Amino acid sequence: MGMHDTFFVEWDDSFSVGVPAIDQQHRFLILKIRDLQEAMAAGSAGAMLAPLIHNLVTYTKFHFAYEERLYAERGYQDIDDHKEFHSEMAQQVIEMGDALKNDKLHAGAPVMAFLKHWLVDHILGKDMVAFGKKGLGDDADEG
């Protein structure tokens, strides 16, 4: 059936945190995982690392700021811990960009490991708690 069947992950409703705008942003991340996996399978991951990491730097700034605004608006109790986690993840993206610039990042595997960590620990872990289990998504707008 083709490479489509070998993708690490595709969007599934079980990934939803209950906030449509956040879910849409998370879909973008899943597409980046798929793009990288496809490039790795084709042996061309090295060529896409620079644009991918550039996109991730921009994405992390926007996405984390958006999430943090929602947390603040809804009085999420663990906002400081979540902000610290966001800061650590954003720093990892910057470090990957630096490694790429310094010719120390040549393969997609470290980036894929980071993206999988983001999906499992952040989206399916911390964001589920912040939005799903805390009920923050119940009245969230899509703006």
Side-chain angles (χ1 to χ4, degrees), residues 15-78:
F15 300 159
S16 175
V17 297
V19 179
I22 296 293
D23 288 343
Q24 187 60 38
Q25 292 170 27
H26 288 166
R27 282 185 183 97
F28 172 83
L29 180 65
I30 288 171
L31 285 174
K32 296 296 111 186
I33 292 172
R34 194 167 77 185
D35 289 348
L36 179 57
Q37 188 172 33
E38 193 172 63
M40 288 171 71
S44 60
M48 75 167 297
L49 288 178
L52 173 64
I53 291 172
H54 175 77
N55 283 338
L56 288 175
V57 168
T58 303
Y59 172 81
T60 54
K61 289 177 186 174
F62 167 77
H63 176 67
F64 291 160
Y66 190 90
E67 280 189 350
E68 290 167 9
R69 181 176 65 81
L70 290 180
Y71 300 153
E73 287 174 1
R74 288 156 179 81
Y76 177 51
Q77 292 179 343
D78 294 328

Side-chain angles (χ1 to χ4, degrees), residues 1-8 10 34 37-38 41-42:
M1 293 181 96
M3 270 197 301
H4 183 73
D5 295 334
T6 64
F7 291 144
F8 169 72
E10 289 190 33
R34 194 167 77 185
Q37 188 172 33
E38 193 172 63

